[in-house]
Amino acid sequence: MSWKGSPTSTTREEVKSAIWVIGGIAALVTVGLTITLVVGGVSWLTAPFRGEVDKRDRTEGSGAFRIATYEEFFGLCATVQSKEGTIKTLEEENKTASESRRAQISTSLTALKSSRIEAVNEYNAKAAQEHRSAFKDRDLPPRLDVNDMNTTCAP
């Protein structure tokens, strides 16, 4: 038999205390993991909804962005049309121009055709961007053709 204060009773009390401490730590870890999984699970479950809201916010944009983008497409298309008109005018002039003027026209035509291609590519690149394409007027072409020298921007 053991009496109070004996080495055996002290060891049992220490073991019981240690079990309570370990049990408390295990319970805290379990609660922490459960909360983490619940919060992570809710986050995982709401991800599609949050993604749709983010996509809508990106697409709708501010009023100023929508108007600027709408006008930007018309501006790019008009730039392409303007370059086409200048190219046609220079080609007509080239038929009756002097030799020195033909050299100037040739240089100008090369530069204009190159910058027209850049403008067509810029239009097409922006038309392909999801956050911009939503604000392109439906009367504008979906894409411009580099080889088509008769671009139409509006009916």
Side-chain angles (χ1 to χ4, degrees), residues 1 8 20 23 38 52 64 81 103 114 116 120 122 136 138:
M1 239 196 212
T8 308
W20 276 104
V38 167
E52 286 299 316
Q81 276 186 318
S114 182
R116 179 190 168 275
V120 167
E122 183 179 1
K136 185 172 62 62
R138 67 175 174 231

Side-chain angles (χ1 to χ4, degrees), residues 104-126:
Q104 293 172 341
I105 290 172
S106 177
T107 303
S108 295
L109 283 172
T110 301
L112 277 167
K113 288 177 182 179
S114 182
S115 66
R116 179 190 168 275
I117 290 170
E118 288 176 12
V120 167
N121 289 338
E122 183 179 1
Y123 180 95
N124 291 340
K126 289 186 178 185

Side-chain angles (χ1 to χ4, degrees), residues 55-125:
K55 179 180 173 185
R56 186 182 66 234
D57 288 347
R58 264 193 347 259
T59 301
E60 289 179 5
S62 68
F65 174 78
R66 290 193 310 259
I67 291 169
T69 303
Y70 181 84
E71 291 173 349
E72 181 179 32
F73 279 111
F74 274 106
L76 288 169
C77 193
T79 297
V80 171
Q81 276 186 318
S82 174
K83 290 180 187 299
E84 289 171 358
T86 306
I87 289 169
K88 287 176 187 172
T89 301
L90 287 173
E91 286 174 340
E92 283 298 314
E93 182 185 347
N94 196 35
K95 293 176 184 176
T96 59
S98 67
E99 193 63 37
S100 64
R101 178 68 181 136
R102 280 193 194 134
Q104 293 172 341
I105 290 172
S106 177
T107 303
S108 295
L109 283 172
T110 301
L112 277 167
K113 288 177 182 179
S114 182
S115 66
R116 179 190 168 275
I117 290 170
E118 288 176 12
V120 167
N121 289 338
E122 183 179 1
Y123 180 95
N124 291 340

